[in-house]
Amino acid sequence: MSRKTKDWNYAPAPESTAQAKVAKRYDLFINGKFVAPKKGGYFRTTNPATGRKLSDVAEATQADVDTAVKAARAAYEGTWGKMSPRERGKYLYRIARLIQERSREFAIIETLDGGKPIRESRDVDIPLVANHFFYYAGWADKLEYAFPNRKPKPLGVAGQVIPWNFPLLMAAWKIAPALATGNTVVLKPAETTPLTALKLAELIADADLPPGVVNILTGAGETGAAVVNHPDVNKVAFTGSTDVGKRIQQAVAATDKKVTLELGGKAANIILDDAAIDQAVEGIVNGIYFNQGHVCCAGSRLFVQENVYEEVMWKLKRRIETLVVGDPLDKNTDVGAINSKEQLKTIQRYIKKGIDEGAEIYQSECELPSSGNWCAPTVFTNVSQSSTIAQEEIFGPVLAVQTFRTVPEAIEKANNTPFGLSAGVWSDKGARLFQISSHLDAGVVWGNTYNQFDPASPFGGYKESGFGREGGLHGLSAYLDL
Ligand code: NAD
């Protein structure tokens, strides 16, 4: 196949950043106010597409975490705890509406700070954030209907720690159900993407949420550890890597904290020979290349039935060559910047490992920008089940392809990883979709589509992908004593 499948380009269509107000410096959001960190440290957050600094952000230490947990406790025992569920719901509706009003600003800042294409942050992340708050606002005064014949009670103060791949969406997944169930919150965003959580803190203050109900502390792993290990935190909600998740589970093992862990993944997409191939290829591309593969449920493994392998690979490679890689603020961009230099190094290390272990590499011939963190869309074929790239989470735009002859073989191969977060099946027959999906060890299985989210639908994993569910009724129960 000729690699030159595209000899034209879209005209640049960059989103204006005029609406994105990023302050030079951000303090910690504690008890309804922005306050300087007690030890006075700040760290920089940069734009991964250019390497340029965006802002200085406060680093919370143990003393700040103590103050924030105290504020959250006082709000739980005071205003928030005494407020009627209906009134609490009104605050959530207000937050949801304010997010909709300011959605453009949030989308631009998400893209500047995280490197994801503006099309993703504008059309996926921010609308889902607003929907999440709307959805849980509706439940606030209906908990007894959600859990009939039980007496749902809030847990208290929730310590929440989130990653960098969906910064504001993960904050919404954590804060909305916690508040709807009457808990108060101390949330720590990831150190490379703190800005939209801090903008959310501004919005929460504008919404007049009583002081202390939501506290947002920025910092790195040490700050996160101080939040989850705080003795006055009743509920720990963590989304991030399996390594850190294991450490958190050990740390809380001897406590009565309720815990949910949303961890890594190594999702399999299975294409059967009766699938609509063009549609399947588009779904595979969406699942691993859009958002740079920075998705816990990224379809990073592909299993193709042998008799359609040649056709799938031909179409997949052609499609990869047409992907627009570059300026995340450009509305034509499909693949944005890798979130950090460290993550880029990790991805490059895995690509080298794939080659060293004998897999065959194919990379898009796209031109990569000269500054910032970039990785061309990559496919590996000739991959074995034991290859590192087929077993470990890479968290980048790297796909490992294998073949199968029979459905049981596909199921066995798909289940052969330590993870169990998500999967996709592509077939013309509904019965085959249901049959296969019921045998896959995965919290979510998509049929003839991929990466679809809805606040009413629970999300979470098995095995080393963690436990507990976010979204839907399951997401409520994680914050309740039933
Ligand atoms: P990470 O585990 O390195 O960091 C996640 C968060 O934990 C960050 O805020 C970090 O500062 C904090 N942290 C680090 N060490 C800590 C400690 N000892 N105690 C408490 N907090 C600590 O993960 P990451 O690189 O930011 O995110 C990528 C990972 O997140 C991937 O593995 C991905 O699959 C996973 N993820 C899972 C889901 C899901 O729903 N299952 C969703 C998104 C991301």
Side-chain angles (χ1 to χ4, degrees):
M1 185 184 90
S2 151
R3 298 208 57 177
K4 196 93 189 122
T5 53
K6 188 167 151 235
D7 44 21
W8 51 272
N9 260 319
Y10 295 104
E15 176 75 51
S16 158
T17 54
Q19 288 201 26
K21 295 181 200 83
V22 178
K24 284 209 165 84
R25 175 186 264 208
Y26 283 94
D27 285 322
L28 308 169
F29 186 66
I30 300 178
N31 210 17
K33 289 197 200 76
F34 280 95
V35 295
K38 292 210 165 103
K39 288 207 171 146
Y42 290 82
F43 61 96
R44 59 165 51 194
T45 183
T46 54
N47 178 344
T50 60
R52 272 187 232 123
K53 177 170 132 178
L54 291 166
S55 187
D56 283 314
V57 175
E59 176 150 22
T61 55
Q62 184 68 52
D64 303 302
V65 174
D66 289 343
T67 315
V69 172
K70 218 183 226 170
R73 174 66 54 198
Y76 176 71
E77 282 166 7
T79 44
W80 198 244
K82 292 188 182 128
M83 193 180 287
S84 75
R86 192 155 172 267
E87 291 304 308
R88 285 202 303 258
K90 285 187 193 166
Y91 279 104
L92 287 169
Y93 279 122
R94 195 180 294 172
I95 293 171
R97 282 194 298 267
L98 285 172
I99 288 167
Q100 282 185 323
E101 275 170 29
R102 298 187 202 167
S103 59
R104 183 168 287 246
E105 183 185 7
F106 274 103
I108 296 166
I109 295 176
E110 199 72 307
T111 285
L112 284 172
D113 205 19
K116 67 170 62 192
I118 186 76
R119 234 174 41 207
E120 289 271 318
S121 43
R122 183 196 62 191
D123 299 346
V124 182
D125 293 48
I126 310 303
L128 276 173
V129 168
N131 287 351
H132 226 79
F133 278 102
F134 276 123
Y135 175 76
Y136 280 113
W139 275 122
D141 60 350
K142 301 174 194 70
L143 297 178
E144 280 163 25
Y145 300 95
F147 304 101
N149 302 321
R150 302 170 86 175
K151 294 226 165 355
K153 283 199 277 316
L155 299 169
V157 176
Q160 308 177 321
V161 177
I162 55 173
W164 46 260
N165 60 337
F166 287 91
L168 193 64
L169 185 58
M170 291 299 112
W173 280 23
K174 298 276 179 283
I175 295 174
L179 299 195
T181 45
N183 299 277
T184 56
V185 162
V186 177
L187 173 115
K188 191 201 86 68
E191 52 273 38
T192 56
T193 52
L195 292 184
T196 44
L198 291 161
K199 292 303 278 188
L200 180 65
E202 290 176 359
L203 183 148
I204 281 170
D206 292 348
D208 269 338
L209 195 73
V213 175
V214 172
N215 304 274
I216 295 183
L217 301 182
T218 40
E222 246 174 73
T223 311
V227 171
V228 299
N229 294 332
H230 198 286
D232 204 25
V233 159
N234 307 97
K235 153 83 189 177
V236 170
F238 173 76
T239 300
S241 61
T242 296
D243 279 352
V244 174
K246 284 180 180 172
R247 262 182 273 157
I248 290 176
Q249 197 175 2
Q250 277 167 3
V252 299
T255 71
D256 61 357
K257 292 175 186 175
K258 192 162 176 172
V259 184
T260 39
L261 299 175
E262 302 284 351
L263 311 177
K266 192 72 189 170
N269 258 307
I270 300 174
I271 302 184
L272 299 174
D273 56 5
D274 63 352
I277 302 294
D278 288 337
Q279 187 190 337
V281 165
E282 202 50 37
I284 304 311
V285 165
N286 170 358
I288 184 69
Y289 298 121
F290 291 1
N291 211 11
Q292 306 75 252
H294 291 345
V295 186
C296 51
C297 48
S300 53
R301 292 178 300 149
L302 172 61
F303 296 95
V304 187
Q305 199 148 18
E306 257 180 27
N307 45 339
V308 288
Y309 176 74
E310 295 297 329
E311 182 186 355
V312 167
M313 289 315 295
W314 189 78
K315 288 186 168 167
L316 183 61
K317 287 175 181 175
R318 274 180 69 90
R319 180 67 179 98
I320 286 170
E321 290 298 340
T322 66
L323 288 173
V324 181
V325 184
D327 181 5
L329 280 171
D330 193 313
K331 289 162 215 152
N332 297 316
T333 295
D334 297 308
V335 183
I338 301 301
N339 180 260
S340 64
K341 282 206 174 6
E342 291 66 38
Q343 185 58 25
L344 180 59
K345 276 192 210 138
T346 303
I347 297 168
Q348 287 166 340
R349 209 175 53 239
Y350 275 113
I351 291 178
K352 181 170 179 308
K353 189 105 183 156
I355 298 168
D356 291 349
E357 289 182 1
E360 214 169 282
I361 186 171
Y362 181 97
Q363 273 186 317
S364 153
E365 281 194 335
C366 59
E367 252 174 62
L368 298 178
S370 52
S371 61
N373 316 322
W374 305 94
C375 178
T378 305
V379 190
F380 276 106
T381 51
N382 197 24
V383 176
S384 75
Q385 274 294 84
S386 58
S387 299
T388 308
I389 53 167
Q391 287 293 326
E392 294 182 13
E393 184 181 43
I394 300 173
F395 225 55
V398 182
L399 177 66
V401 186
Q402 297 175 65
T403 58
F404 65 92
R405 284 190 189 164
T406 65
V407 166
E409 181 191 351
I411 293 170
E412 196 179 319
K413 284 181 166 173
N415 285 340
N416 181 18
T417 76
F419 300 103
L421 191 59
S422 58
V425 186
W426 302 82
S427 166
D428 188 38
K429 310 252 176 334
R432 296 182 93 189
L433 293 181
F434 283 114
Q435 188 226 343
I436 296 176
S437 56
S438 63
H439 288 96
L440 291 173
D441 296 341
V444 181
V445 183
W446 286 288
N448 291 335
T449 185
Y450 207 79
N451 269 352
Q452 300 295 323
F453 294 95
D454 188 284
S457 172
F459 184 87
Y462 292 104
K463 305 197 284 191
E464 294 206 1
S465 292
F467 52 82
R469 297 289 178 264
E470 293 188 310
L473 285 183
H474 297 67
L476 284 173
S477 63
Y479 286 92
L480 287 170
D481 176 0
L482 292 167

